[in-house]
Structure formats: structure tokens, C-alpha cells
């Protein structure tokens, strides 16, 4: 099982704002590109992948949308509009939720009002956590023992204090070279590296 968490610090939790932010300051296209590269291959989707999108620009609670490829049925297109449509649908379903609640959106897709910090704490119980960082250990040298979970951000970097709490959870920094890549490009390279092993 491979998991990816995209911490989208600029992404609005209001569906209309989310859709209106493509190519603007919040760069919500990052969510579509990352989701596409995490869950799809040509003509199908990848088995055994969980992708979490954590949207943090909110009036109340962060929204964590979880896509589980082993349960997903209605893929419904892989273009930006279709993928952001799925995210927008999950945000609409989440209207009125209290703190740390979960609601089903469609088969294989759920939405939770859980923060990035709480989510990674949960994931740390069953996954080996890796923070993607150019200053980390080269991915080629990393041994993967149990379900790896890769943590990425949108165009806004992870706050310094988050690195400290992630370290306490056992997270390790890993790098994919020294060039600054998009999160979605990192996901392609991570899949490629793991596919070779
Ligand atoms: C566009 S980058 C984030 C840019 C942000 N301004 C920053 O300084 O971190 C998106 C994500 O990809 C990760 N990333 C980009 N290039 C990487 C590389 N060569 N190795 C590992 N992670 C990388 C970043 O750490 C981040 O999680």
C-alpha cells in the first residue's frame, strides 16, 4: 500500500472558491495534478494507493479528502475539471460538519474535518512516514519496510515547527534530487522508484 498526503495550505474549503482558484494565487490545479499522478495510470487506476488532500484555507476546519483506489468505482475522467469536480463535491458534502467528523462522498471517497497534524499522527500508527524535501536522504538509498506514506505540500512550504513534530512521529526526509519539482512530479518519481523494487 502506498499513501500520499498533499498538504494544500492555500486551497479553499469553499467549493466555488476552489474552482475559481485554478491558475490564481491558491493554485488549486496542484490538487488535480497530484491526484491524477497518485491514482491513475493510462486507461486505469493504480491498485493499493490512498491519496489524501488536506485543504487548509478555511473559515472553520481543514478538510481532508481521502481517495482509496481499491474501493473507487466512479472514476469519471482524469482531466483537471473532472478531478477538481470530485474535490468540490466532497467540499459540498462537508458543509456543516463539526470538528473531526467523517462523511462518505461516494464509493472510495470520504471527507473528514481533520487537520494535517491529526491525520499524520493517525497515519504514523500503520505507515512509515516520509516528508519530501530536497535536503533529505536520496530516495534511492532509502529502505521501505512497511506501507510508506509520502507527505508533500502545495507551493507553500511546510512550516518549520511541523518538521519537528513530524520527526517525533518518526518521519524521515527524502529527496528526489536537488531540483525543485512540483508535488505532482514528485509523486510520479516516487511511484517509479517503488515500481522498480
Ligand atoms: C513545489 S514544491 C514546494 C515549494 C515550496 N515553495 C517550498 O519551498 O518547499 C512541492 C512539494 O514538492 C517537494 N519537492 C519538490 N522538489 C523536491 C525534490 N527534489 N525532492 C523532494 N521533494 C521535493 C517539496 O518538498 C514540496 O513538498
Amino acid at each position: 500500500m502506498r499513501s500520499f498526503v498533499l498538504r494544500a495550505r492555500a486551497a479553499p474549503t469553499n467549493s466555488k472558491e476552489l474552482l475559481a482558484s485554478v491558475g490564481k494565487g491558491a493554485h488549486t490545479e496542484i490538487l488535480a495534478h497530484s491526484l491524477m499522478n497518485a491514482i491513475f495510470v493510462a486507461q486505469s487506476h493504480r491498485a493499493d494507493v490512498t491519496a489524501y488532500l488536506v485543504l487548509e484555507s478555511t473559515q472553520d476546519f481543514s478538510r481532508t479528502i481521502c481517495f482509496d483506489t481499491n474501493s473507487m468505482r466512479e472514476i469519471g475522467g482524469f482531466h483537471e475539471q473532472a478531478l477538481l469536480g470530485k474535490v468540490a463535491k466532497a467540499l459540498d458534502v462537508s458543509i456543516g460538519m463539526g470538528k473531526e467528523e467523517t462523511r462518505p462522498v461516494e464509493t472510495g471517497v470520504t471527507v473528514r474535518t481533520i487537520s494535517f497534524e491529526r491525520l499524520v499522527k493517525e497515519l504514523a500508527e500503520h505507515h512509515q512516514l516520509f516528508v519530501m524535501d530536497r535536503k533529505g536522504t536520496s530516495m534511492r538509498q532509502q529502505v521501505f519496510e512497511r506501507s510508506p506514506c509520502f507527505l508533500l505540500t502545495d507551493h507553500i512550504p511546510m512550516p518549520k515547527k511541523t518538521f519537528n513534530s513530524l520527526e517525533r512521529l518518526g518521519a524521515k526526509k527524502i529527496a528526489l534530487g536537488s531540483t525543485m519539482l512540483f508535488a505532482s512530479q514528485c509523486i510520479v518519481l516516487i511511484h517509479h522508484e517503488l515500481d522498480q523494487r
Side-chain angles (χ1 to χ4, degrees):
M1 196 77 198
R2 297 174 194 172
S3 300
F4 297 92
V5 179
L6 177 72
R7 182 177 194 178
R9 301 191 62 203
T13 58
N14 173 290
S15 63
K16 286 196 181 68
E17 280 178 40
L18 173 101
L19 296 173
S21 301
V22 173
K24 309 240 172 78
H27 288 292
T28 47
E29 65 275 15
I30 295 171
L31 279 76
H33 300 164
S34 299
L35 187 58
M36 156 146 176
N37 287 329
I39 69 176
F40 288 111
V41 285
Q43 297 174 351
S44 188
H45 61 271
R46 281 182 173 268
D48 300 330
V49 174
T50 312
Y52 301 87
L53 303 180
V54 186
L55 289 75
E56 293 194 335
S57 179
T58 185
Q59 302 284 344
D60 47 22
F61 312 110
S62 296
R63 300 295 194 277
T64 295
I65 306 170
C66 171
F67 299 82
D68 170 8
T69 61
N70 287 352
S71 315
M72 284 178 75
R73 294 286 168 269
E74 305 147 49
I75 303 292
F78 56 85
H79 51 93
E80 246 178 43
Q81 195 181 25
L83 295 170
L84 285 179
K86 280 202 183 288
V87 176
K89 180 179 173 185
L91 294 179
D92 287 341
V93 166
S94 77
I95 292 171
M97 281 170 73
K99 195 175 176 196
E100 294 184 7
E101 280 183 36
T102 305
R103 279 185 192 165
V105 180
E106 58 185 48
T107 315
V109 184
T110 53
V111 60
R112 300 176 71 188
T113 38
I114 187 175
S115 66
F116 174 81
E117 288 78 6
R118 293 282 302 171
L119 176 73
V120 288
K121 212 168 170 194
E122 266 184 30
L123 291 170
E125 288 172 24
H126 303 289
H127 297 76
Q128 197 183 9
L129 296 182
F130 296 100
V131 197
M132 300 314 296
D133 190 291
R134 288 184 301 161
K135 295 191 198 103
T137 307
S138 164
M139 186 171 178
R140 292 266 161 89
Q141 281 151 25
Q142 183 63 52
V143 175
F144 296 98
E145 285 150 7
R146 61 189 170 113
S147 308
C149 176
F150 302 93
L151 311 177
L152 300 128
T153 63
D154 57 6
H155 52 300
I156 305 181
M158 205 74 86
K160 274 216 176 85
K161 65 174 187 181
T162 304
F163 280 116
N164 298 336
S165 43
L166 288 174
E167 222 169 275
R168 285 196 291 276
L169 292 173
K172 295 195 171 65
K173 284 185 184 174
I174 52 172
L176 297 161
S178 57
T179 305
M180 178 64 85
L181 304 166
F182 290 130
S184 59
Q185 294 173 328
C186 292
I187 292 170
V188 173
L189 294 176
I190 293 165
H191 272 316
H192 175 70
E193 182 63 31
L194 295 178
D195 288 347
Q196 305 304 304
R197 298 191 182 193

